Amino acid sequence: MIVRSLEDVVGTERDVAGPGWKSRRLLLASDGLGFSMTDTIIEKDAVLELEYIHHLEACYCIQGRGQIRRFDEEKWYSLERFTLYALDQNDRHLVQALDADLRLICVFNPPLTGREVHRKDGSYAPVET
């Protein structure tokens, strides 16, 4: 059994940040569950262009308001508390926090190893086997 609080993660090597975001990695590949889970903040007014070409991701909004759209489409989808989005086709996408920070619980498959940061193309590096 794994029991870990957000307080256990903040300020450790599992607490990772980049321009416009921070990710507190609650579960990682080393935890052996086959997926990872993060508590992620997208900062107010940040617009992130991302494409996880090596990972599938699902995010559940628990705080704030934002929007998301596929990179190649014009339609924005609203993100608010208790809304999920899943990038089931490694979708290149834009995600934006609107009035305040946007807080998401994110699950990745394959799991993150821990120190990933977004590369120039918005992706994480492939998982080494």
Side-chain angles (χ1 to χ4, degrees):
M1 178 184 304
I2 299 168
V3 177
R4 184 174 291 133
S5 72
L6 184 59
E7 289 178 0
D8 295 334
V9 172
V10 172
T12 72
E13 68 278 351
R14 288 177 178 248
D15 190 355
V16 180
W21 62 273
K22 63 180 151 185
S23 175
R24 291 78 63 92
R25 277 88 192 264
L26 299 166
L27 292 173
L28 294 171
S30 61
D31 293 313
L33 295 173
F35 63 90
S36 58
M37 179 181 289
T38 69
D39 182 321
T40 298
I41 303 290
I42 299 174
E43 296 171 1
K44 179 183 180 223
D45 299 324
V47 180
L48 305 180
E49 181 180 329
L50 306 167
E51 182 178 20
Y52 298 116
I53 58 178
H54 305 291
H55 297 83
L56 297 176
E57 179 192 27
C59 296
Y60 187 63
C61 179
I62 61 170
Q63 186 176 344
R65 204 170 63 82
Q67 57 186 7
I68 187 169
R69 74 173 173 90
R70 284 177 52 107
F71 182 77
D72 59 351
E73 295 179 359
E74 296 298 318
K75 181 179 179 180
W76 287 93
Y77 295 90
S78 178
L79 298 175
E80 55 191 47
R81 286 182 65 207
F82 312 126
T83 303
L84 170 123
Y85 68 87
L87 302 166
D88 60 339
Q89 298 176 19
N90 306 98
D91 312 74
R92 185 174 194 82
H93 60 287
L94 299 171
V95 63
Q96 178 179 21
L98 295 175
D99 308 326
D101 290 351
L102 182 65
R103 186 172 178 192
L104 306 167
I105 300 301
C106 305
V107 177
F108 285 87
N109 183 19
L112 302 179
T113 59
R115 296 300 299 169
E116 289 90 348
V117 293
H118 298 111
R119 300 183 308 176
K120 220 176 199 182
D121 67 357
S123 73
Y124 289 145
V127 176
E128 295 190 23
T129 55

